[in-house]
Amino acid sequence: MTDYAIGDLQGCFNEFDALLKVVDFNPSRDHLYCVGDIVARGPNSLACLETLFNMQGSVTITLGNHDLHLMACHYLAKPPNPKDNLADLFAAKKLSTYIHFLQQQPLAVWLKRYNMFISHAGLNPNWSIKQALKHAQFAEQCYNSEHAIDYFAKMYEPHPSQWKKSLTREEKFRYIVNYFTRMRFITCSGELDLTNKSNQSDSNNTLAWFAHPKLITAEQHFVFGHWAALNGETHYPHMHALDTGCVWGGALTMMNLDNQQLFVKSSHSFI
Ligand SMILES: [Mn+2]
């Protein structure tokens, strides 16, 4: 039995399929943790989602911003942006089955046996692991409830700058989701900078979330995706950035959680 994590698929089915073969992944024995963004922009989001659905029970997806966007478009009956390349997924007969499958997936996972925290974008340094999991559970209950549409309808409103007990449930949902799925740079006090997608801070006031003083000395391992510009480099051995930009002409990266061995499939092998 082997546990693996894999970076952002974003519809890159050929590379995904190739990596499953490289590690001889066996759903009856192994488990796969996807760090999220399994759909959007790439050539075959439908095949990625179908494959994960067929492996359910052996797969956990910590949802990413693109996965939540797919769910929001479905619930709000909004056509996806053509650049997301999701037309065949939206035409699929089993779309609502796949959406239901995604709704049951978490925002964050804690694996005690590896001392490891997994989420799409990372961990808000102001949250302990325990607090983060509690916040994740709150958001999971929102998008997996009969009122999911109410939360998706307000998901793209401005980020509440501060957490307060007086925030509405929709605002709390948005605050939590933004940290777990959209974070890259933050201020020292932990506020999000949602504009900079590069690998360099553009201000003296922001730093990469994983370089925050509260996290660089953390004893836990952190596995995340979302930040293709890092190209897998964090310079901290306990910070594992698995999005190596497959959909942008880079590679898909998979990690064996037991020994942290990496398996990499370049997108160039398929051009
Ligand atoms: Mn993302």
Side-chain angles (χ1 to χ4, degrees), residues 26-66:
N26 181 343
S28 64
R29 179 190 69 200
D30 305 324
H31 198 95
L32 181 65
Y33 293 89
C34 294
V35 298
D37 280 357
I38 59 174
V39 298
R41 310 288 167 95
N44 208 339
S45 293
L46 176 58
C48 289
L49 194 44
E50 261 171 358
T51 302
L52 293 169
F53 177 78
N54 290 332
M55 286 161 48
Q56 62 183 291
S58 312
V59 164
T60 305
I61 304 163
T62 54
L63 298 175
N65 49 308
H66 285 293

Side-chain angles (χ1 to χ4, degrees), residues 8 10 36-37 64-66 120-121 181-182 184 225-227 243:
D8 305 34
Q10 294 210 240
D37 280 357
N65 49 308
H66 285 293
H120 181 61
T181 70
R182 297 176 66 198
R184 290 186 185 90
H226 184 59
W227 201 342
D243 183 2

Side-chain angles (χ1 to χ4, degrees), residues 76-92:
L76 303 169
K78 227 177 108 188
N81 190 325
K83 76 177 179 187
D84 281 342
N85 209 3
L86 293 172
D88 57 348
L89 178 52
F90 272 79

